[in-house]
Amino acid sequence: MSAPGAVLLTRQPAENGGRGPGAQLLLALISGGYAVGAALGWGSQEIAEIMGDFGLSAAGILAAVSCYSYARSIDRRERPAWLLFAFSSLMGAGGNAIWGWYEVVLGEPVPKPSPADFAFLCFAPPAIVGLLVLAKRPVTRAGWVCLGLDSWLIGGSLLTLSWSLALAHAARTAQSGAAGSVPSAALSLAYPLLDIALVSMVLVLHFRRSETNRSAVNTAIAALALTVLSDALFTSPLLSDGYQSGQLLDAGWFAGSLLLAYAPWGARRMHPPPPVPAHPRVERAHSRPITGSLPALTPYLAAAVCTLGILYNVVDGRKVDRMVVFTGCTVVLALVIRQGIMLLDNIALTQELAQKENHFRSLVQGSSDVIMIAAPTGTLRYVSPAAAGVYGREAEELVGTELATLIHPDDLGRVVHEVRRFLAAPPTEEPTTRIECRFKSGGGEWLNVESTVNRHQGGLILNSRDVTERVRLQAQLQHSAEHDPLTDLPNRALFTRRVRQALTGRRAGDHSTAVLFIDLDGFKAVNDTIGHQAGDELLVEAARRLQDSVRAGDTAARLGGDEFAALILGDGSRDRGAREYQVHEIADRLRTTLSQPYRIAGSEVRVAASIGVAFADPGITPSDLMRNADLAMYRAKAGGKDRVELYAPQMQAEVVRKAELAGRLRTALHEGEFALLHQPVVCLATGEVTAVAAQTRWRSAQGILFTPAEFLRVAEYAEGTAGTAGAAGSAGRPAAAPDGPPEFAGGTPSRAAELGRWMLEEAMGQAAERHRAGHDVPVAVRMTAQRLLDRAVPTASVEALLNRHGLPAGALVIELADSDPRVPFDELERRLAALRRLGVLIALDGFGSGYAAISALRRLPVDILKLDRGLVEGVVESARLHKITAGLLRIANDLGMQSVADGVDLPEQVMALRAMGCTRGQGMAFSGPLDEYRLRRALVRGTFPVPGGAAQPALAGGSPGGSMAIHRGSHNETPVPPT
């Protein structure tokens, strides 16, 4: 039995529970009480007649009312059947009521025939039609013919037997009797004939009943069968002559009526069960009602009954009745016709099956998939011809082979486990499964095969296809997703997964595992000088060197750009110091290997390597371990590059501290915590203020004033290291902020650019206010070459600021803060020339400190030459610096440029520079950076005292004329006194 059938059967009692055993017990008690009363004669003849007539009439009325009520409560195809059952029961009740009218009310014998006989005759036809309504209707003409033949086979057989036993005697009596006995004889024949028809329908319905509400239909059939049985006993010669109302025979009719009344309500309505997948041959039997009407033995049983009827007459010595002969012949004829139809149907079915077999054989043989049938023992019993094209082996060669011998040994255990699990699962829950394994081909290589497996007579059907190319493509895609396309080293995702495996696998307790982060110093210069193609070649060679330098079990990876990493698995050593020394040696060897010259495009290229090392401390996560290695690598770069640095916990603490400071810096930029100070530029001959140099300061929450070199270095380092643990390395990492004077040197571009815009606008705005107050002093603003070339600060914006504030052209001096050789001089020259056309003066700041200063002086349009403070500081003490400074000043004078000395802090420096021909100076010898109020006071005063011997600077400390000690600044900007 199938699983759905088992489930259905287990649920049937719950669905057919009906009203429970109480109603059935009550029905049995009432029927049994009636039978006992009838068997005992009811105590008197009068009560027996009442119970035998009106009792049966009441039971029939109850059945009619029940069937009618049920018919009104349903909206289905069987409603007419229950209405016909109600009418049939009503006719039976009417006949018993008429019978009681004669016997009980009038006290007269019931005449023959009487109206009651006609009512009883109307009982069977509606019941027969109702049963036909409930039966499955044939879908073809042949089906209707078979239904009629099946009915006649049963009815004719019963008629033959009944005629031989009783009906022939009644017919002869009707022929030889007096007038008036013919209607009585006809009635006596009508009862059994209708009963035979009703029995035929009952038997036919048993084989062809509908699945809808089967419980109620079965109960109704049982009720009609009990009524027909009572009718058959009543018409027999032994009981019909001596029958009286109230006898035991009435108990059968009474029980049949009660059972019919109980049928529609005593059981729950059943819904059609869900279709269960069946074999195609079974589906064919259901779809063709010609062969599925009756069981195969029914026609032969009908012929046997006819034969018994004829033999009864022969054995009894009586002449064979013509009615028996005629009926038997018709039954045999019906049997012959029925068998002929079955034969034709079988021939058609055989042809259809042959066509389907040929069709499926063509599909199997023409399919590109290999179809194999394996016996329960694992032996291949059938292999489709596609095996030659897929496996390179003929199908005949594979038949008889053990399937296990064709599967790769590494896959065999998994395949056997899956097959056993599949065969143990219920077929309805898991009709198929899919298995992928390696299959041995005719050439000896292993093919990746995917098979869909189905059950087949205890064995398996395998529908297999070659998926080797798909598996190869998937492996290639997986490799591409986990490896760097340029160097073919593992990428960041695969490296992170291997670090996680090293920390969580069987090496979880080994804390000697280390991660190395490697950055190539100077790689960006390679890209900028000889091109990106050469840079890619260098990266490939560096990756090869790194791969060759690590052990077989370790992992070398490229994280992005010029950043590489290596996972050095631990050796289980408990000596942390020895392990650190060993890994440091490995890292130093890698550094040396990666720093060897590279032969790229016929040229020798050199880069260095900065390496950070971090160990897997207890409880550390993969992301934290990689972050620690990255921090150590940044510390190696900040410490001079081309070195190895081990991670220490204070590195993270420093990053956190600087990140907090950078966060406060960003907040300060938006909340206006920056201030703009100005330092006077004084004529060394007269002490007159000729210009003011703008300088930014940030006042922190602790009241500390930070210079640009300080707060930009903090912002750059914090933002540069905050995202290193999770971001891929790049070829162009931001360099450490320089200690030089430029306002925008180094730093993160976003912060520096935003601060630069604010400084330029604020400086020009304050200059405009001083101009309106009568102080026509130019303001100098420091800008880097990168800042000048930034598209966010076009020449038009500078011109717009001058026009908006109403400043004259010479009111702005742009101090070019650095001379980076990587800056394209052509573009910088064009930008400076455009600014000069607006009337803006160009000053070359920090002259004498960079190797590219002479090139900048030669190519760029410069108006002012500003000496680096490094030259000024030693101009008095060092004769060598004195000569260099004097030579540079002569160059400026020969080129017709103004000269400004930065960092003039001592009177001796003022006199020495003036003697060399320097025209202007800036430093603590005159004044430090001033806020707007003190600057206005200095401008009103107009001049500063120029030392001729031991001079005191003006405006030192609080008030003009006050005194303050002279300090040597530690930064490029002149130190500022507290304000």
Side-chain angles (χ1 to χ4, degrees), residues 299-348:
Y300 304 103
L301 292 176
V305 171
C306 291
T307 304
L308 288 177
I310 297 173
L311 289 177
Y312 176 79
N313 286 272
V314 173
V315 172
D316 196 28
R318 292 181 294 178
K319 182 180 179 181
V320 178
D321 194 283
R322 287 179 295 176
M323 184 64 181
V324 174
V325 176
F326 176 77
T327 305
C329 291
T330 56
V331 169
V332 172
L333 180 61
L335 178 60
V336 172
I337 296 174
R338 184 70 175 82
Q339 291 300 105
I341 293 177
M342 290 181 62
L343 180 60
L344 294 177
D345 184 69
N346 289 335
I347 294 175

Side-chain angles (χ1 to χ4, degrees), residues 35-53:
V36 172
L40 298 178
W42 299 104
S44 66
Q45 181 63 28
E46 184 177 0
I47 297 176
E49 291 178 352
I50 293 174
M51 294 301 298
D53 295 333

Side-chain angles (χ1 to χ4, degrees), residues 46-69:
E46 184 177 0
I47 297 176
E49 291 178 352
I50 293 174
M51 294 301 298
D53 295 333
F54 293 109
L56 294 180
S57 179
I61 292 175
L62 178 63
V65 173
S66 176
C67 293
Y68 178 76
S69 301

Side-chain angles (χ1 to χ4, degrees), residues 724-936:
T724 56
S730 61
R733 292 185 175 275
D739 293 331
E743 297 291 343
F744 311 109
T748 48
S750 59
R751 300 277 82 79
E754 190 173 355
L755 182 59
R757 285 193 297 268
W758 174 85
M759 180 181 177
L760 181 62
E761 293 180 3
E762 187 71 12
M764 296 184 69
Q766 293 185 14
E769 293 180 1
R770 291 192 296 271
H771 180 72
R772 287 190 291 270
H775 305 295
D776 299 331
V777 180
V779 59
V781 179
R782 290 175 177 175
M783 300 181 72
T784 63
Q786 290 89 344
R787 176 66 177 155
L788 281 171
L789 296 178
D790 188 0
R791 295 183 179 179
V793 189
T795 306
S797 65
V798 177
E799 182 180 7
L801 285 173
L802 291 172
N803 295 334
R804 186 175 68 186
H805 294 294
L807 289 173
L812 177 63
V813 179
I814 297 295
E815 295 182 351
L816 185 61
D818 62 358
S819 53
D820 190 344
R822 293 174 297 180
V823 174
F825 274 95
D826 294 338
E827 187 176 352
L828 182 60
E829 182 181 4
R830 287 194 296 270
R831 177 59 62 91
L832 293 177
L835 290 174
R836 288 192 69 193
R837 286 194 294 270
L838 296 177
V840 178
L841 299 178
I842 306 299
L844 187 59
D845 189 21
F847 186 76
S849 61
Y851 67 88
I854 298 300
S855 298
L857 184 62
R858 178 175 60 86
R859 298 188 58 182
L860 300 180
V862 179
D863 301 299
I864 303 171
L865 191 66
K866 194 168 186 179
L867 294 178
D868 183 71
R869 69 181 299 117
L871 298 176
V872 176
E873 287 177 352
V875 72
V876 178
E877 295 84 358
S878 174
R880 187 180 183 87
L881 285 179
H882 187 280
K883 293 180 180 180
I884 294 175
T885 304
L888 293 176
L889 290 173
R890 281 195 301 271
I891 293 175
N893 291 331
D894 293 344
L895 295 176
M897 299 180 184
Q898 299 178 8
S899 56
V900 178
D902 188 15
V904 183
D905 298 333
L906 300 175
E908 294 83 357
Q909 295 171 349
V910 175
M911 292 184 292
L913 290 169
R914 184 173 54 197
M916 295 177 190
C918 184
T919 58
R920 298 174 186 178
Q922 172 186 342
M924 295 299 295
F926 304 104
S927 173
L930 305 174
D931 59 17
E932 187 65 22
Y933 173 74
R934 290 189 176 94
L935 179 62
R936 292 285 183 96

Side-chain angles (χ1 to χ4, degrees), residues 96-137:
N96 285 299
I98 295 173
W99 199 293
W101 174 263
Y102 281 105
E103 286 189 338
V104 178
V105 178
L106 299 180
E108 298 178 356
V110 180
K112 292 185 179 180
S114 67
D117 294 321
F118 294 101
F120 288 144
L121 289 176
C122 291
F123 171 81
I128 294 174
V129 177
L131 292 174
L132 289 175
V133 172
L134 291 178
K136 287 184 179 179
R137 297 180 180 179

